[in-house]
Amino acid sequence: MKYFLFGALFFLSMFLGACTQVDRTAVPADRSLRDEALHALMAQRIDGLYRRIEVLAHDQNRTLPELDEARQRTTNEIAANADTLSEYAAELTDLAATLDLSTANRQRFLALSGRLQDASDNVVLASAEGSSRSLTEAITGLQETCAACHSLYRDR
Amino acid sequence: MIRWLKSASLGLLLSQAILAAEGDYEAQSGSGLLPGAVPGTVRFAGTDTSFGIGGRLETHASVGDVFFTAAQSGRDKLSFSQIPVSPQDISQNQFRFNSRDSRLWLRALHPGRNLDVYVEYDLAEEPDRYTFRLRHAYVSLGPLLAGRSYTTFINSSALPDIDSGTGPGEVSLKRVQLRWTQSLLDDSLDLAVALEEPDSYISDPDSARIRPYDKDQIPHVAARLTRRADWGEFSVASLVRSLRWQQDGQRLDKWSGGIGVSGRLNFGAVDNLRFIANYGNGLGRFFTSGAYADASVNREFSELDPHPVFSAQAAYQHYWSARWRSTLSLGLSRTNLPGSANEAMTARARSAQVNLFWSPVPALTVGFEYLHGHRQLLNGQDGELNRLLFSTRYTLQL
């Protein structure tokens, strides 16, 4: 009995811990980047999927071909998300006109929106290339772009 | 050393055979190595075939209970048939070292032809020496897999991340098989059907000993349907088999089978719950590390009684951070033995395993694991085993 009580407590603590982790809610197809939370949500989702690939290195039961299949499936999901993000990034140009920004700031905003599109495209390309190093670099680039833009314009 | 050389030779022969088949062996000589089709592989310039060689060095240090007469494997890994049920059989606080979970693998793949050849060994420990033991050896060509690997009855992604041995609900059995896997619904649904190597583990009425019989004439038929989505994986599987006992010109046959569910549910980005539950008749060999028989012969030696068996295993893996993770794995199983069965046969088993692993870099894992195992015989006699394990694992690949 004591073992099952211990087990139940352990399960509960780990489950509560999991609830505080990355939100894995898929992005609804009808939302656009005009929704201010969308950037963060999509980048977070790509980051979560990438972490899922990283932890495959700890899987000690599946064979290498089985792990490669799992890696490929998750990479395809990353590519699909990055592709959607790239499409939506194009909308940022229109969004700039609705923001209260100075001329210099507007130019910087447009430059960053272009950078987001490029970074998303890079993730798509790296996913297709199949190189883990390229994927790491591309996702890091995307994260940096998100951070740079959000620090300047998130509440405008 | 000779076996290592044999393995290396096998890898080289394999490589050369595939290169020769492509007709470009001469073309690649003297050329450089390039990254292969998947991580951990390389290919020669001018060819499309990628090669991989790798392995892992794993060392366990454990302190805990050991059955005095346990086989070598039961002293280091959880083996339910070797949990002592009598106080005089137990050796407490025994300190042991082993490297039996170290592995070596070789791989050749040709993505353009969907060809993948994979061979994996681990180590079996005998007194004063280790020998290579085959785990997986198969060729997959598109949807067809031929060779030895996990039985199709189980989804291998449901097996927990534990070091001290498989729990009573796990099915980690490997079989030589011919498997066809068909992807459906944009790869989100897989149907795998296989013919697998048959054998029957049967007990005599007056003995608790379980003996393997390989006189079967009909292969096991296993099928598994797997659904994959963002939430994880869920598999439903079934297995049908013909049990056969044959001795001194006498022969008994019986059809049996079972069903099971297994899978992995994702919680957050990387936390997951892995589960396995099975019920069947005559599938004892598949569970509890072989502590159960598939069937027993009645006292008149006129009928084969398949044993109903139920098993379940659940393991939750939590990542405390990118480098620290834990798994709690709980399992139980029970079999209903017929009246003719020997009273010293194992009837129930359960286990609890919990660990804390640290991976400062992806290739290295260091950690502690606590194991509690329990078994009960048909006559009600029971015993338990507790161990604390320290493990280090370093994975090497190209």
Side-chain angles (χ1 to χ4, degrees):
Chain A
M1 183 62 192
K2 63 182 177 184
Y3 295 110
F4 285 95
L5 190 62
F6 170 68
L9 283 171
F10 190 86
F11 270 126
L12 185 65
S13 70
M14 291 203 286
F15 181 74
L16 291 174
C19 292
T20 63
Q21 288 192 357
V22 177
D23 181 357
R24 66 186 181 87
T25 311
V27 178
D30 58 346
R31 289 176 72 182
S32 79
L33 276 190
R34 288 175 192 280
D35 184 330
E36 64 181 32
L38 193 59
H39 270 86
L41 188 63
M42 294 193 75
Q44 204 173 36
R45 166 130 183 88
I46 290 170
D47 188 42
L49 288 167
Y50 182 63
R51 282 189 64 199
R52 207 171 278 174
I53 290 180
E54 283 185 311
V55 300
L56 287 174
H58 303 151
D59 195 316
Q60 59 165 312
N61 297 305
R62 284 185 281 185
T63 62
L64 293 189
E66 287 174 331
L67 289 172
D68 282 339
E69 279 178 29
R71 193 175 288 119
Q72 190 58 55
R73 274 194 296 272
T74 312
T75 304
N76 292 345
E77 244 183 291
I78 288 175
N81 275 276
D83 198 35
T84 310
L85 185 58
S86 172
E87 282 175 23
Y88 286 159
E91 292 183 24
L92 283 173
T93 310
D94 301 335
L95 187 63
T98 67
L99 298 175
D100 179 22
L101 299 171
S102 66
T103 307
N105 249 341
R106 180 164 287 113
Q107 283 174 348
R108 192 187 303 167
F109 181 87
L110 289 171
L112 282 168
S113 66
R115 197 174 134 192
L116 174 64
Q117 199 168 357
D118 291 344
S120 307
D121 289 341
N122 283 342
V123 173
V124 177
L125 289 172
S127 303
E129 192 183 319
S131 156
S132 54
R133 181 176 296 174
S134 303
L135 191 58
T136 305
E137 287 169 2
I139 287 176
T140 306
L142 179 62
Q143 287 166 337
E144 286 169 359
T145 307
C146 290
C149 199
H150 288 174
S151 66
L152 290 171
Y153 302 110
R154 188 63 187 274
D155 298 320
R156 305 296 287 269
Chain B
M1 186 62 187
I2 289 171
R3 283 176 182 270
W4 274 95
L5 287 172
K6 279 184 181 172
S7 300
S9 305
L10 176 68
L12 284 172
L13 284 171
L14 197 67
S15 314
Q16 289 181 2
I18 291 172
L19 283 170
E22 287 180 21
D24 52 10
Y25 180 70
E26 292 299 323
Q28 61 78 29
S29 58
S31 58
L33 285 175
L34 300 169
V38 297
T41 61
V42 293
R43 66 183 173 86
F44 296 104
T47 73
D48 291 331
T49 305
S50 300
F51 302 97
I53 182 168
R56 70 186 212 196
L57 297 170
E58 182 153 348
T59 301
H60 292 174
S62 66
V63 60
D65 305 328
V66 174
F67 196 175
F68 266 127
T69 57
Q72 206 74 22
S73 60
R75 297 178 188 201
D76 297 320
K77 301 282 266 188
L78 176 59
S79 175
F80 288 92
S81 61
Q82 294 174 31
I83 294 178
V85 291
S86 174
Q88 62 264 28
D89 287 339
I90 198 165
S91 168
Q92 290 178 317
N93 301 324
Q94 196 175 114
F95 197 94
R96 293 189 58 80
F97 276 113
N98 80 87
S99 297
R100 55 188 304 126
D101 267 355
S102 297
R103 293 177 192 169
L104 170 73
W105 53 73
L106 307 160
R107 190 176 181 193
L109 73 160
H110 192 305
R113 296 177 192 174
N114 276 331
L115 175 72
D116 205 334
V117 182
Y118 184 70
V119 182
E120 181 182 311
Y121 292 92
D122 66 2
L123 299 175
E125 189 178 1
E126 295 172 11
D128 301 327
R129 70 187 185 122
Y130 286 98
T131 55
F132 275 109
R133 183 176 64 172
L134 187 67
R135 279 173 57 83
H136 301 273
Y138 60 81
V139 177
S140 63
L141 185 61
L144 180 68
L145 179 147
R148 177 184 156 92
S149 192
Y150 289 117
T151 171
T152 304
F153 188 57
I154 189 70
N155 178 345
S156 58
S157 71
L159 299 173
D161 183 24
I162 51 177
D163 276 351
S164 55
T166 54
E170 289 179 54
V171 181
S172 56
L173 208 60
K174 297 166 197 79
R175 317 300 291 162
V176 179
Q177 59 192 284
L178 280 173
R179 182 197 296 168
W180 183 276
T181 305
Q182 188 66 48
S183 292
L184 309 163
L185 300 177
D186 296 332
D187 291 342
S188 64
L189 192 67
D190 279 354
L191 174 64
V193 180
L195 297 178
E196 300 187 353
E197 167 194 14
D199 58 6
S200 302
Y201 277 64
I202 294 170
S203 63
D204 294 334
D206 298 318
S207 163
R209 189 178 166 206
I210 300 168
R211 292 199 288 179
Y213 291 86
D214 58 356
K215 310 293 184 194
D216 307 70
Q217 291 182 322
I218 302 170
H220 297 174
V221 181
R224 189 184 71 234
L225 191 64
T226 301
R227 173 86 170 96
R228 291 191 181 86
D230 185 57
W231 44 260
E233 298 184 19
F234 182 83
S235 295
V236 183
S238 69
L239 186 136
V240 178
R241 64 185 303 199
S242 170
L243 296 166
R244 171 169 287 198
W245 173 87
Q246 193 166 352
Q247 195 171 287
D248 301 330
Q250 197 178 356
R251 198 184 80 191
L252 299 170
D253 293 285
K254 188 78 112 185
W255 283 96
S256 64
I259 56 168
V261 293
S262 56
R264 178 193 293 228
L265 302 178
N266 296 323
F267 292 91
V270 288
D271 279 18
N272 57 82
L273 174 70
R274 305 176 197 191
F275 61 92
I276 304 169
N278 301 289
Y279 178 78
N281 230 1
L283 294 182
R285 151 104 166 106
F286 283 63
F287 311 110
T288 316
S289 344
Y292 298 151
D294 294 325
S296 54
V297 183
N298 69 357
R299 289 204 171 87
E300 293 75 32
F301 288 87
S302 61
E303 199 168 349
L304 208 50
D305 292 323
H307 302 166
V309 61
F310 166 77
S311 73
Q313 189 87 23
Y316 191 88
Q317 183 177 47
H318 176 64
Y319 276 78
W320 304 103
S321 70
R323 294 176 179 177
W324 291 89
R325 65 185 187 278
S326 287
T327 291
L328 170 70
S329 181
L330 301 174
L332 61 89
S333 69
R334 58 182 57 185
T335 182
N336 291 327
L337 297 168
S340 59
N342 187 287
E343 290 204 331
M345 290 187 72
T346 305
R348 293 181 180 197
R350 65 172 190 263
S351 72
Q353 288 145 298
V354 61
N355 60 39
L356 177 64
F357 290 154
W358 176 55
S359 295
V361 292
L364 178 67
T365 295
V366 179
F368 286 94
E369 183 165 307
Y370 170 72
L371 157 71
H372 169 78
H374 175 271
R375 77 160 168 154
Q376 184 177 323
L377 308 184
L378 181 59
N379 62 13
Q381 199 175 3
D382 66 347
E384 64 177 40
L385 174 150
N386 295 283
R387 281 180 195 159
L388 183 64
L389 179 88
F390 172 74
S391 62
T392 62
R393 178 165 67 239
Y394 190 79
T395 304
L396 296 154
Q397 63 181 15
L398 291 172

